[in-house]
Amino acid sequence: MLEITSPSIEAQLKLDFAEVYSRSSLYMKNQEMIKEMSFPAPGSMELAFSTKYALNFIDQCVACFWKQYWSYWRNPQYNAIRFFSAVIIGLLFGTIFWGKGKKTDKQQDLFDLMGAIYAAVFFLGFTNSTTVQPVMAIGRTVFYRERAAGMYSSMAYAFAQLSIEAIYIGVQSFVYSLLLFSMIDFGWKVDKFLWFFFIIFMCFLYLTLFGMMAVAVTPSHHISGIVSSFFIGLWNLFCGFIIPKTMIPRGWRWMFWANPVAWSIHGLMASQFGELENMVEIPGWWCTPGLLGTAGRRCVGYTVEVSPC
């Protein structure tokens, strides 16, 4: 039909199909039908629903969750990259810092371990935040259409996204934590491993959710990549590793306290080394475990006497 009514056919037949249709009986019949249906029948009521959505909030969350489940299951490229990166980066950092977890006799040993934790937290977390953005940008178009149709609310969709991401990130974090914890050798204690896994999991989760939020508040994932890179750069700068907290100018020190990555690094250091009481060698200072007083400073389980050698 479209081929017959094309402009080239009209030129060959020297006809204007729009004009022919406007003079036809079919056109007059359709116009009469439009006028008839433009006014409600006597005694009829306007179409109305008791609720905005056909399902309650719980059922919306369940439906959206299964929608996200199948969407993620049918996207092996995204999930394969996620787990492949976790294994490769875990093996990389594990071999670089092999057996460093029990070497805490020198200040440099603690710096090495802090660097390992900083790299472990930031490198894969930033990768998660970046790779999730194109996936969310594709799903956003479908979300707009289905929300406009009244299928579910924005909150139900957000809960479903959080739930499905938490499952995949949980598996990724467990594999990553198992590799790092065993190869760096922090000491096989259940509470230490659980704290390590929990903090790594929460760190990856909030960085991934930050990438999703960046897509939600920007027109495209290209712009969201720029926005998220800016904030992640700030978090990297003020996390306390590149610039120690005491060296940050007072006017900018609030950036350290408001930095989630800084709290993740602090939590990992405290959970793995906070209970240690052995002596540590710091160049230029005497360091004695358990020493208290006005001249003492506590640092990762150690009390450092501020007196030059």
Side-chain angles (χ1 to χ4, degrees):
M1 187 65 183
L2 293 177
E3 295 177 354
I4 297 175
T5 57
S6 63
S8 59
I9 299 298
E10 287 183 340
Q12 293 178 11
L13 299 177
K14 297 181 180 181
L15 291 175
D16 185 353
F17 288 118
E19 184 179 351
V20 172
Y21 171 73
S22 64
R23 295 197 303 265
S24 65
S25 59
L26 178 62
Y27 171 78
M28 301 301 296
K29 182 180 178 180
N30 289 338
Q31 290 297 316
E32 291 295 331
M33 185 181 298
I34 292 172
K35 291 180 181 179
E36 181 181 351
M37 299 180 66
S38 298
F39 300 95
S44 62
M45 299 178 62
E46 292 186 3
L47 184 63
F49 300 96
S50 58
T51 59
K52 184 177 181 180
Y53 303 102
L55 300 176
N56 58 42
F57 182 73
I58 300 299
D59 292 335
Q60 291 178 44
C61 290
V62 173
C64 289
F65 174 80
W66 285 110
K67 175 181 179 295
Q68 293 293 333
Y69 169 80
W70 288 113
S71 176
Y72 272 62
W73 185 256
R74 293 166 181 170
N75 190 3
Q77 296 87 354
Y78 170 54
N79 295 311
I81 291 174
R82 186 206 305 254
F83 292 116
F84 180 77
S85 300
V87 173
I88 295 300
I89 295 174
L91 291 174
L92 177 64
F93 289 152
T95 53
I96 292 175
F97 299 100
W98 182 275
K100 286 280 188 178
K102 290 187 176 180
K103 297 178 181 179
T104 57
D105 297 328
K106 298 180 180 180
Q107 182 188 40
Q108 187 59 47
D109 294 332
L110 291 175
F111 285 162
D112 292 342
L113 289 169
M114 187 176 180
I117 289 174
Y118 160 79
V121 165
F122 220 98
F123 200 93
L124 191 57
F126 177 73
T127 302
N128 283 359
S129 179
T130 303
T131 55
V132 75
Q133 294 182 25
V135 178
M136 292 299 104
I138 295 173
R140 181 169 60 177
T141 304
V142 180
F143 162 71
Y144 286 158
R145 183 179 67 246
E146 294 178 345
R147 186 188 62 175
M151 296 181 65
Y152 46 75
S153 64
S154 302
M155 190 62 69
Y157 186 80
F159 273 116
Q161 283 188 322
L162 171 62
S163 301
I164 196 65
E165 277 291 344
I167 294 173
Y168 280 90
I169 292 174
V171 177
Q172 180 195 32
S173 301
F174 181 80
V175 174
Y176 188 66
S177 300
L178 190 62
L179 290 173
L180 283 181
F181 195 86
S182 59
M183 297 176 75
I184 298 178
D185 194 10
F186 288 111
W188 280 105
K189 292 184 178 180
V190 176
D191 57 340
K192 279 191 171 185
F193 176 76
L194 291 179
W195 274 115
F196 189 87
F197 165 68
F198 173 74
I199 296 173
I200 288 289
F201 168 72
M202 294 303 296
C203 178
F204 289 172
L205 184 62
Y206 69 67
L207 285 173
T208 304
L209 294 179
F210 173 75
M212 296 165 65
M213 183 194 70
V215 175
V217 300
T218 53
S220 67
H221 71 276
H222 303 289
I223 300 177
S224 68
I226 299 173
V227 173
S228 62
S229 297
F230 171 75
F231 282 98
I232 288 177
L234 285 180
W235 290 349
N236 185 25
L237 182 62
F238 291 99
C239 69
F241 180 77
I242 297 177
I243 305 176
K245 183 189 68 174
T246 55
M247 297 181 64
I248 299 175
R250 291 187 178 274
W252 287 99
R253 200 165 294 179
W254 63 272
M255 287 289 294
F256 172 84
W257 298 111
N259 190 342
V261 179
W263 290 105
S264 298
I265 296 174
H266 180 80
L268 287 171
M269 290 292 292
S271 64
Q272 302 306 312
F273 309 111
E275 63 182 12
L276 300 181
E277 295 182 354
N278 58 293
M279 296 180 63
V280 59
E281 178 184 340
I282 300 179
W285 305 96
W286 290 104
C287 306
T288 308
L291 180 64
L292 297 175
T294 57
R297 292 182 182 176
R298 183 167 296 278
C299 176
V300 196
Y302 303 97
T303 303
V304 181
E305 182 184 0
V306 187
S307 302
C309 296

